[in-house]
Amino acid sequence: MLLRGSHVYAEAAVRAGCRFYFGYPITPQNELTEYMANALASLPDGVFIQAESELAAINMVIGVSMAGKRAMTSSSSPGISLKQEGISFLSAMELPAVIINTMRGGPGLGNIAASQGDYFQATRGGGHGDYRTIVLAPGSGQEMADLTRAAFEYADRYRIPVIILGDGMMSQMMEPVEFPDPIDPKSLPPKPWVLDGAKDRPSRIIKSLILDTSAMEEHNWKLFRKYEMIEKEISQVELFLTDDARLVVIAYGTASRIARGAIKRVREMGLKVGLMSPKTLWPFPKRYLLEMSRVVTDFLVFEMSTGQMLEDVKLSLEGRRRIHFYGRPGGIISTPDEIAKVINNIYFKEGLETEV
Amino acid sequence: MAAKSKRGLIKIDAELCKGCYLCESVCPLNLISISERLNQKGYHPAVYIEEDIGIKEHKCKGCALCAIVCPDIAIEVYRE
Amino acid sequence: MKKVFGKPKCLKDAVFHYCPGCGHSIIHRLVAEVIDELSIQEKVIGVPPAGCAVLAYDYFDIDIGESPHGRGAAVATGLKRALPDRIVFTYQGDGDIAAIGTAETIHAANRGENITVIFVNNGVYGMTGGQMAPTTIIGQITTTTPGGRNEKRDGAPIDLSEMLALTTGTVYIERTAVDTPKNIIRTKKAIKKAFRVQMAGLGFSLVEVLSACPTNLKLSPVQANEWIGSTMTTYFPLKVIKDKVGKLGALPHLE
């Protein structure tokens, strides 16, 4: 199927058994909301509500998630800020949910161009409290479909909100996509913790208020242990021409596509450059990076921001290797030629052309 | 409400009582007073006078006004 | 002798943490009695607020899902849309519903969400220590209106129930109080009707209950209840604010 990115998210969500979508209009992701309105209206068990605010939308997701059903909301940067209250509560109450952020230039109202300025917000929890959310970063239409399916699986498996971090460019771009078979929501395994009325079982409580400090500490450690497990189990990268690379570009999403083009150009000039594209931004694929750093001396982090993922790369490598950075914030889309030049400069400045 | 001819009685759980005395303020027969002793929470609980002083011929009709206003469900009402 | 009044079945054996004379305890009991009488304990899901009543889950022996401050109507919307045959109610204070959660409430009402809202109006932020609430009356002294609420500076108390009545989605809205035995009985009837409106699938129902917060009013429980009758009701008169039930067809007969 040839579909634009925002429609890919939506179609993939419906096929993942999501029958509940709540959203509020914001550019550049309205096509997603509109697709869901249409798709869910044609399904007997579909529920679409255009909410009065981002806050209301994420709290409707909370309600559906409490009832054990798959639910999704989506927005763009300023709207995602509003959803942070709900994301903190989802995390505290260990409720699955999928939230798609089509990032735009910021801070503030910013603009509607593609940007990657929300990396910190997404990977550091974003709202208040000691928590993390899984953050997935598709780089193509196919990955938008695959990672949306994965997002629902992860959300249910770990009882955690999952954020898909894309941008306006990916959401507008049309690419051919193969979708996995649709899941009938009724075929999903029952969740033993849901609220559906205390029939033939003790009543249940889903809450985040834990006044007793010892119990609150234990809850935080419980979440922490879960996050540790997730870090071990799901971190994921995509590698491109890294086998012989002397310089590896690290980029995600749209930036990874631009980097790929740049690498093809510099490869033609004989430069040994590869790409590592994280698919999970949290957990950050630290161990892949560490393994690569055994042979690669130079890394170039390329982001459409002033340098946010850069910090995770620095934290992972702990000063062992040279880390270079190139970024353009504010909705500027660098060209592959521009990045090729950056790569070229670094490559020769660090003397990577000389054989070891 | 209680049938007028019938008799009733109430039981106040002194440990549930927080001494708000809403019951005392609504009893039409003034059969509730305040204890001089303290309960474990540190409140002077309400007491049902007829039981406290051992009156067999209850005036209490079991109208339940005291129980209806009691925030702490500390009062049970019995009727013939 | 036969026991004619005791603890409702769907309340747990927990002692209320509420202050002496607090209306929350009475309203909890009334909601519990209604759940018992309608035999819906196995079907009901409650959504408590942020505020004193957040601890409602310690008392009700029913499924309970906590809501962020003010978002009860949105959380309940999600629950009810996901489980249309269950009975979903929110329990919210005046600050929760009429200040921070105004938008969620008005829009859930306007959509005619088939949920029931128990709106406890005590004219003050209780749990945070007695600050001005959206429903604090003119001249009322709170910790943030030390000279009394001033209409020019603070605005007048907001009548959310009347506002909600203007939306087409609301079916039944009544304002009651728990200051006297008579009003408590009336409140229970209103809560029961509100639940029955939902059970009949008619739409949004809400009972606003004027309730005493003696601690923050700095009055004795008896005086606080007198204050409701003498003063608070002049701003918030007790009445059926909206009742479309008759127009939509009578409620099913109860056994």
Side-chain angles (χ1 to χ4, degrees), chain A residues 102-125:
Chain A
T102 300
M103 288 185 284
R104 58 189 245 182
L109 214 44
N111 57 29
I112 57 168
S115 174
Q116 296 184 327
D118 302 350
Y119 181 95
F120 281 152
Q121 184 196 50
T123 59
R124 267 62 180 167

Side-chain angles (χ1 to χ4, degrees), chain A residues 85-103:
Chain A
E85 172 192 81
I87 297 172
S88 172
F89 275 75
L90 284 162
S91 303
M93 299 191 283
E94 297 193 82
L95 292 171
V98 174
I99 301 122
I100 297 180
N101 181 1
T102 300
M103 288 185 284

